[in-house]
Each structure stands twice: as C-alpha cells, then as structure tokens.
Amino acid sequence: MVKYLVSKSLSLVCVVAASSVASAQNWVMPTPFGDRNQPTQIAYEFAEDVQALTNGEVNILVKSNGHALPHLAIPGAVMTGKVVIGEFLLGLLDKQNSIFQHDMIPFLANNYDDSQLLWQVSKADTQKQLHKLGLHYLYVVPWTPYSAFSTRKIENIDDFSGLSIRAFNQTVTSLIQKLGANPVKVPLKDVTSAFEQGKLDGRFASLSVGEDSQIWTYAPYLNDLRIWIPKEIVVMNKSAFDKLDEKTKAAIEKASLKAERNGWLQTKERVETDLASLKNGGIIYSKPSNKLLRELEAINQRMTQEWIEQDPKQNGDIYRAYREAQRQSKGIK
C-alpha cells in the first residue's frame, strides 16, 4: 500500500511538472546588434529578469546580431505575430506615422538630457501610435551618439557632396539628400562588405557600433557630430500581451522599467570609453567646425519644420512641450 502511494505521488509530481513546462511560454526575441552593444546587453538582463519574476513561466531567448531576423524585418514580424517580442530602432517606423521621425531629426536632441526630455513629452503619443500598429511598448534604450564615419575626411558640408551614405529609413534618407550625398540602402549585415566593395563611402552610426564593428578598418575618418541619440525600442505583439494574465503583465512591466532605467544610465557612461576605443583602434578623429555646425543647424530647422507640418497638432504639440521642458530644466522663465 505504501509503495502504491509513493508511486502514485511520484506520478502526480511528474504530471504537475510536465504541465508546468507545457504552460511555460518560450519567446524568441530578435535583436539586430551584437552582444557588446549596450541595448543587447540590456536585452539579456531583461530576459533574465522576466524569467525570474515569472518563476520561469515566461522564457525569452535573445537572438542577437540579426541571427533570428534582419533588422528591417523585425518590426513587421512583431506586428504580425511571427515573433512575440523584438527590438529595433524606433525610427524604422517613420513611414508608419510621422511621430517616429522625432528620434532622428538632426540636432533636435543630441545630448542625453535633451533626449530624455524629448522622450518624456513624446512617449504617450508614441505609445498610442504603437497600439494602432498592434505593438505594445515595453522599454527603450538610447544609443551612444550617432556621428559620421567615412572613407575620407569631412570638414564642411561640401565634403558630403557625392558620398554614398547608408540610409535605413525615410528620415535619414532625407538628411542624406539635403547634405548633397547619395542615400544607399544596404542591409546591416552587409555594411562592411559594401564599404570594401566601394558601394558605401560613409555611414551615420553610434560610437558603440563603430567600436564594436572596428569601423576604422573600412571607414577610418570620424567627424564627431553627435547628430542624434536614437533609441532602440523593445515591443511585444499587442494581442499576445493582452492575453497574458495580470500577474505576468505586471512582471514584464517591472522588468521593462528596470531595463529602461539602466539603459539611460549605462549607455551614457559608455560614451567616453567607446570614443577612447575608437581612437586606440586607429580612427582619425575630428570635431565639427563651427561653420559645419551652422550649416547642419540650418538643415535641422528645415527638417524640424517639415516634421511639424506633417501633423501640426501631434508633432507641433510635442515640439512645443519639448521646448518648454528645456526652458524649465534650465530655469528659464
């Protein structure tokens, strides 16, 4: 009888365990960049936190460096439910709604304080538009500043003329054209070979991506424009998120808050270390001249106005709120 009860109990434990494994959700999370980049490192930490906070009921397998999906394919894959969760540059959605263009308007917010202010005033409307696309917002991680890497030295705006520069969304394409350069679409995984084959002469990239890819080996000149601080965004398929129980939703939201907080703090700390690594690697470094900055500011004004005119209510309200937040942060009445 005892033997029977023990056997029965063991069987019950096995059934419960099997049921628990079967009910666990396992999600592949495609990310576009390599493991040394801060957004990817934050993604790994986020996945660990979700697993711990849900007691293993949600397991996220981060697939970095485009191994699961190419960068440009990730937004659509999450929208359609091909994958439950994914990470990509927020600006890749700029054709879906003009609000997403704010992330890559040159010099609109190119330091971390201003970038956070811009995100604070645009976040609610951004989430609203994400919902319309079937996406549920989880968190963002800013990049180290984007600057201009090229095969020849850039000292003034005329030096951009005729260069073939990588374009990856509508906003960047517009900027490249205004610089008098040629926008060229090249998948992220093919960027290095495109430079080696002479298909590209330049790219706008973060200091971190430049350091990680040893960019000095194919684009040895850096003009440290610090033109944007764009954000990687992590989203879930909204329908999949809505079907989760409240406890699981709360756990994911808690992990998301931590990821975003760490993202802003840790990325800011990497700026000088990434820049030092670039110089140690052999990058030929220069800062933009005042003349070049004035020329780029004129482009900023044009692109900002074009952005506002696309949706005067939504984008105009964001812009005015952003400028007011800047004034308040500096104590200007």
Side-chain angles (χ1 to χ4, degrees):
M1 182 65 177
V2 172
K3 184 177 179 181
Y4 169 76
L5 289 174
V6 170
S7 176
K8 183 104 174 162
S9 298
L10 286 172
S11 298
L12 182 59
V13 168
C14 290
V15 169
V16 171
S19 176
S20 176
V21 171
S23 65
Q25 302 198 50
N26 299 295
W27 305 338
V28 170
M29 177 178 170
T31 68
F33 296 96
D35 289 347
R36 291 176 55 181
N37 289 286
Q38 199 63 30
T40 309
Q41 292 177 9
I42 294 290
Y44 283 120
E45 293 171 7
F46 168 74
E48 291 175 1
D49 288 340
V50 168
Q51 184 181 49
L53 290 167
T54 62
N55 296 315
E57 292 181 7
V58 175
N59 302 294
I60 299 173
L61 177 61
V62 176
K63 287 281 190 176
S64 64
N65 212 27
H67 288 151
L69 286 170
H71 193 182
L72 297 181
I74 296 174
V78 184
M79 288 181 206
T80 59
K82 181 178 179 181
V83 293
V84 172
I85 186 171
E87 174 195 293
F88 52 86
L89 272 170
L90 178 61
L92 292 188
L93 297 173
D94 65 354
K95 284 187 177 181
Q96 302 292 336
N97 187 279
S98 59
I99 193 171
F100 301 113
Q101 295 176 21
H102 79 265
D103 207 42
M104 291 186 178
I105 295 174
F107 297 103
L108 181 61
N110 68 331
N111 64 68
Y112 284 96
D113 289 340
D114 285 348
S115 293
Q116 285 185 293
L117 291 177
L118 181 58
W119 180 232
Q120 288 166 10
V121 301
S122 61
K123 186 174 180 177
D125 285 316
T126 299
Q127 287 178 299
K128 179 180 176 182
Q129 295 303 328
L130 287 170
H131 282 175
K132 290 182 179 180
L133 297 174
L135 299 173
H136 177 81
Y137 166 78
L138 294 180
Y139 69 87
V140 294
V141 174
W143 277 104
T144 50
Y146 268 49
S147 288
F149 294 91
S150 56
T151 56
R152 66 176 189 238
K153 192 171 186 178
I154 294 173
E155 295 180 310
N156 56 62
I157 202 164
D158 291 336
D159 292 332
F160 283 100
S161 180
L163 290 182
S164 295
I165 299 178
R166 180 175 183 252
F168 47 84
N169 69 357
Q170 177 178 289
T171 314
V172 176
T173 297
S174 177
L175 170 62
I176 293 169
Q177 291 170 335
K178 286 177 171 62
L179 290 169
N182 304 313
V184 179
K185 292 184 177 180
V186 176
L188 186 61
K189 65 181 179 64
D190 297 331
V191 167
T192 301
S193 61
F195 272 96
E196 293 170 348
Q197 295 167 18
K199 295 177 182 178
L200 284 177
D201 305 305
R203 69 182 294 196
F204 295 111
S206 76
L207 300 177
S208 295
V209 168
E211 189 274 338
D212 183 40
S213 65
Q214 297 186 338
I215 199 168
W216 54 85
T217 62
Y218 59 88
Y221 290 91
L222 165 62
N223 194 310
D224 197 8
L225 298 175
R226 308 210 175 185
I227 197 165
W228 310 290
I229 296 178
K231 297 178 289 292
E232 289 286 305
I233 188 168
V234 173
V235 293
M236 280 185 62
N237 177 275
K238 187 175 183 301
S239 178
F241 181 83
D242 290 344
K243 291 175 183 176
L244 297 173
D245 61 73
E246 293 305 315
K247 184 179 179 181
T248 303
K249 288 179 183 178
I252 292 173
E253 297 290 5
K254 183 176 181 179
S256 298
L257 286 171
K258 178 184 173 184
E260 183 155 330
R261 181 177 66 252
N262 288 346
W264 284 101
L265 290 172
Q266 295 175 14
T267 305
K268 187 176 181 180
E269 294 170 353
R270 285 190 57 162
V271 175
E272 293 308 316
T273 56
D274 285 340
L275 188 55
S277 294
L278 285 164
K279 291 178 178 178
N280 290 337
I283 206 76
I284 303 169
Y285 178 84
S286 64
K287 289 185 176 181
S289 66
N290 290 334
K291 182 176 184 294
L292 178 56
L293 289 175
R294 287 195 300 271
E295 292 168 329
L296 291 171
E297 177 58 28
I299 292 176
N300 158 261
Q301 292 177 9
R302 287 171 58 193
M303 291 186 68
T304 299
Q305 189 59 38
E306 290 168 0
W307 172 63
I308 292 171
E309 289 173 355
Q310 289 181 70
D311 193 329
K313 172 62 178 168
Q314 173 186 265
N315 301 343
D317 285 354
I318 290 171
Y319 181 75
R320 286 185 288 273
Y322 169 54
R323 290 307 187 198
E324 179 59 28
Q326 283 183 307
R327 283 192 290 271
Q328 291 182 9
S329 71
K330 296 172 183 176
I332 300 173
K333 296 182 179 180

